[in-house]
Amino acid sequence: SQQGEEDPQALSIQEGENATMNCSYKTSINNLQWYRQNSGRGLVHLILIRSNEREKHSGRLRVTLDTSKKSSSLLITASRAADTASYFCATDAGIYNQGGKLIFGQGTELSVKP
Amino acid sequence: EAGVAQSPRYKIIEKRQSVAFWCNPISGHATLYWYQQILGQGPKLLIQFQNNGVVDDSQLPKDRFSAERLKGVDSTLKIQPAKLEDSAVYLCASSFHGLQETQYFGPGTRLLVL
C-alpha cells in the first residue's frame, strides 16, 4: 500500500500563481522528500525535510511538515510554465525502514499555463 | 558529474519474451535501486542493492524478475517471461550510502509488452 498520498491528483494554474500540493502518510518517518518528474523523464530531487524540521525553503519552493498530522505540503511560488510536471512525495518507513527504502505517493500533476 | 545512465530508453516486446535493462549509477554511489513506475502511479521499489548485496527485494516478482549487481557497480534487471502488466517505466536510482538521503534517478527505460 502507498505510504504517501498526494492531493490534489491534478492542478491547473496560470503562470505567476502559487501552487500548493499536499501529501499525507501513514507511519512514522525519519524524513520526507519531494521529487519532480517531467513527462518521459526520470525523477529529480527537490527537497528533503527531516522529521524534526517544520519548514524548509529552496528558491521558490517551500515545504512544511506536520508530524502530528502526518502531512506535508509543497508550495511553489510565482509558478512558471517550466514548472509543469508531476510532483511526488516520498517517505522512508521510519523505524521499519531498512537501508533507505523510499515509498512514493501517486503524485500531483501540475499544469502551469502561460 | 555524470548522472545515472540507463539503456535502452525504449523497448517493445511481445508477451512471454525476455528483456534486460542496464544501469550505471553515479560513480562512488554504493546503493542502487530499481523501481517500476506504471502509468499514472508513483515509482514502486523492486530491489535495492548495497554494493553487490541485496538489501530489499520484497516487492520483486521473483518468478519472472531477476537482478544482479556484479562488482558492485553496474546492474542489470531482467524479466523472463514478460507479461502484459509489466508494461511500465523502469527507473534506476543511486545514492551515496542509502541511508535517509537523496536518490538520483536515471531517465528510465519505457517497456511496452504487446
Side-chain angles (χ1 to χ4, degrees):
Chain A
S1 63
Q2 298 281 5
Q3 163 76 316
E5 298 289 341
E6 285 95 337
D7 172 63
Q9 289 191 356
L11 180 61
S12 182
I13 60 174
Q14 294 294 130
E15 207 165 28
E17 294 181 337
N18 295 341
T20 299
M21 289 158 270
N22 302 296
C23 170
S24 60
Y25 57 91
K26 298 174 184 175
T27 64
S28 298
I29 61 171
N30 294 308
N31 67 63
L32 183 145
Q33 303 182 40
W34 285 90
Y35 286 80
R36 183 188 73 218
Q37 185 177 37
N38 290 84
S39 181
R41 303 288 188 91
L43 281 76
V44 174
H45 179 259
L46 295 176
I47 200 163
L48 181 153
I49 186 165
R50 302 199 185 279
S51 60
N52 61 353
E53 297 175 310
R54 291 296 167 260
E55 188 171 312
K56 207 162 183 180
H57 296 252
S58 178
R60 293 184 296 112
L61 306 180
R62 189 188 89 167
V63 169
T64 61
L65 179 64
D66 187 336
T67 52
S68 66
K69 295 181 179 178
K70 292 187 170 58
S71 67
S72 174
S73 68
L74 170 67
L75 169 67
I76 304 175
T77 60
S79 64
R80 306 166 181 168
D83 295 328
T84 295
S86 293
Y87 292 82
F88 295 90
C89 70
T91 57
D92 63 22
I95 61 173
Y96 302 108
N97 192 28
Q98 298 296 321
K101 173 181 177 177
L102 288 180
I103 304 172
F104 287 83
Q106 84 281 6
T108 292
E109 195 172 326
L110 174 65
S111 174
V112 182
K113 301 185 188 310
Chain B
E1 168 180 87
V4 176
Q6 289 188 249
S7 67
R9 291 295 312 278
Y10 305 93
K11 192 74 177 179
I12 301 174
I13 61 173
E14 295 190 349
K15 61 183 179 183
R16 291 188 291 273
Q17 287 187 323
S18 62
V19 64
F21 312 128
W22 173 82
C23 172
N24 183 237
I26 291 173
S27 178
H29 280 194
T31 309
L32 185 147
Y33 311 81
W34 282 102
Y35 289 89
Q36 179 193 59
Q37 186 178 23
I38 293 172
L39 187 64
Q41 298 182 18
K44 181 185 81 172
L45 181 71
L46 292 175
I47 188 167
Q48 176 184 344
F49 291 95
Q50 185 76 15
N51 297 307
N52 60 353
V54 175
V55 174
D56 188 330
D57 63 356
S58 57
Q59 297 192 94
L60 185 74
K62 298 181 186 64
D63 57 335
R64 298 183 301 107
F65 285 65
S66 65
E68 60 182 12
R69 191 183 184 198
L70 300 175
K71 301 180 182 178
V73 181
D74 293 8
S75 177
T76 56
L77 175 69
K78 297 179 182 177
I79 307 175
Q80 181 178 15
K83 293 185 175 181
L84 297 178
E85 58 262 35
D86 298 332
S87 294
V89 176
Y90 290 85
L91 295 163
C92 179
S94 70
S95 64
F96 187 64
H97 55 58
L99 299 177
Q100 303 174 22
E101 59 178 4
T102 300
Q103 295 182 19
Y104 297 85
F105 283 79
T109 296
R110 188 175 297 272
L111 174 68
L112 179 60
V113 182
L114 302 175

